[in-house]
């Protein structure tokens, strides 16, 4: 699913390296937590995997059919913007459809277009149009396999349900189903700014899952969420991994959740990283 080999990265394409000799293999169905101190390179690695950045040396390849991306909460929906939960998901569906997205499920065979918004999108072949950095809402134009000196990739949006898919009249039912799976059916007409941190994060999860991804990438999903909300979110992610076999890669500062939920942990420090089991990580780093 994910293959990173001998990866080096710096914004100047020369030493000192932000990431140095990184290798990481993620098989389908795994739940990998990426942990490390601030400045260790976690978010940089994530941006390389999403195609927002390109390796200076080495390769970062993602073989997912579709990727769901959940950004950090403060990077996404503005709390002061007067928009409801339903409008967030509806506008996202319309955006994907207008861009000619391949819809989820049985409608996924149609042609797809180039740009993606934060949520679910599909990687294409390397050596296509260069990837671009995300905007304040996490929007990007690509993800997928990238090699040193090569280009990023355009991505096709997944989850579009207008262009080439079912009629727009089906959007409300699909949104209802997305909200039901994160237990937010009763918040459909609530303003985003009135939600708790945990509810806000669930909206981002629902949005990412609209495209039925086979890889879910999250950037610190418990940021700004109270303890009870964190428990709900991690239980939901663990259930997705256990029951659907959804591959999950999550940048984490919540070490307890990483140890409890992950199949493996990728521990980063000073731009380097190594893979270990949750038990090994607990023993080595937490004295467990």
């Amino acid at each position: 699913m994910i293959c990173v080999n001998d990866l080096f990265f710096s914004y100047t394409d020369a030493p000192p390296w932000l990431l140095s000799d990184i290798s990481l293999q993620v098989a389908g169905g795994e739940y990998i937590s990426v942990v490390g101190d601030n400045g260790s390179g976690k978010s940089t690695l994530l941006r390389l995997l999403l195609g927002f950045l390109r390796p200076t040396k080495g390769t970062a390849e993602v073989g997912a059919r579709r990727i769901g991306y959940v950004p950090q909460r403060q990077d996404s929906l503005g709390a002061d913007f007067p928009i409801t939960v339903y409008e967030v998901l509806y506008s996202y569906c319309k955006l994907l459809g207008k861009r000619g997205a391949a819809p989820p499920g049985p409608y996924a065979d149609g042609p797809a277009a180039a740009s993606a918004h934060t949520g679910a999108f599909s990687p294409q072949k390397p050596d296509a149009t260069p990837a671009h950095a995300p905007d304040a809402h996490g929007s990007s134009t690509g993800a997928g396999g990238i090699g040193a000196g090569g280009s990023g990739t355009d991505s096709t949006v997944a989850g579009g349900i207008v262009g080439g898919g079912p009629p727009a009249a089906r959007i409300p039912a699909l949104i209802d189903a997305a909200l039901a799976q994160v237990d937010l059916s009763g918040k459909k007409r609530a303003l985003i700014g009135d939600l708790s941190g945990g509810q806000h994060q669930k909206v981002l999860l629902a949005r990412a899952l609209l495209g039925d991804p086979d890889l879910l990438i999250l950037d610190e999903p418990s940021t700004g969420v109270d303890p009870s909300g964190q428990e709900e979110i991690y239980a939901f992610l663990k259930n997705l991994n256990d029951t659907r076999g959804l591959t999950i890669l999550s940048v984490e500062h919540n070490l307890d959740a990483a140890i409890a939920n992950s199949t493996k942990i990728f521990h980063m420090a000073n731009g380097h990283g190594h893979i270990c089991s949750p038990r090994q990580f607990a023993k080595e780093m937490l004295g467990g």
Side-chain angles (χ1 to χ4, degrees), residues 3-173:
C3 183
V4 179
N5 285 316
D6 306 323
L7 185 147
F8 290 76
F9 175 79
S10 77
Y11 285 100
T12 62
D13 290 334
W17 304 113
L18 294 178
L19 296 178
S20 178
D21 200 18
I22 295 288
S23 292
L24 172 64
Q25 314 296 319
V26 179
E30 289 193 302
Y31 186 144
I32 306 296
S33 291
V34 181
V35 303
D37 294 335
N38 290 338
S40 61
K42 303 186 303 294
S43 293
T44 302
L45 176 61
L46 183 150
R47 290 165 68 83
L48 283 156
L49 293 175
L50 289 170
F52 299 164
L53 299 173
R54 293 175 290 188
T56 303
K57 296 193 291 184
T59 58
E61 299 179 352
V62 178
R65 172 181 54 89
R66 292 174 181 166
I67 301 170
Y69 172 46
V70 180
Q72 288 190 33
R73 182 172 164 242
Q74 62 264 34
D75 290 343
S76 53
L77 307 172
D80 296 329
F81 193 78
I83 189 169
T84 66
V85 169
Y86 182 85
E87 288 167 339
V88 167
L89 299 183
Y90 186 86
S91 61
Y92 177 55
C93 291
K94 294 289 285 184
L95 172 67
L96 297 181
K98 286 179 180 178
R99 290 179 175 180
Y107 300 93
D109 295 328
S115 285
H117 189 274
T118 299
F121 51 93
S122 301
Q124 287 186 341
K125 297 177 182 179
D127 304 322
T129 305
H132 299 282
D135 62 18
H137 299 286
S139 302
S140 102
T141 58
I146 306 169
S151 67
T153 63
D154 273 351
S155 70
T156 38
V157 253
I161 51 180
V162 180
R170 288 201 56 203
I171 293 178

Side-chain angles (χ1 to χ4, degrees), residues 12 19 97 138 151 169 173 177 180 189 195 200 229 236 252:
T12 62
L19 296 178
S151 67
R189 300 300 177 185
L195 300 181
H200 190 285
F236 178 69
E252 283 293 349

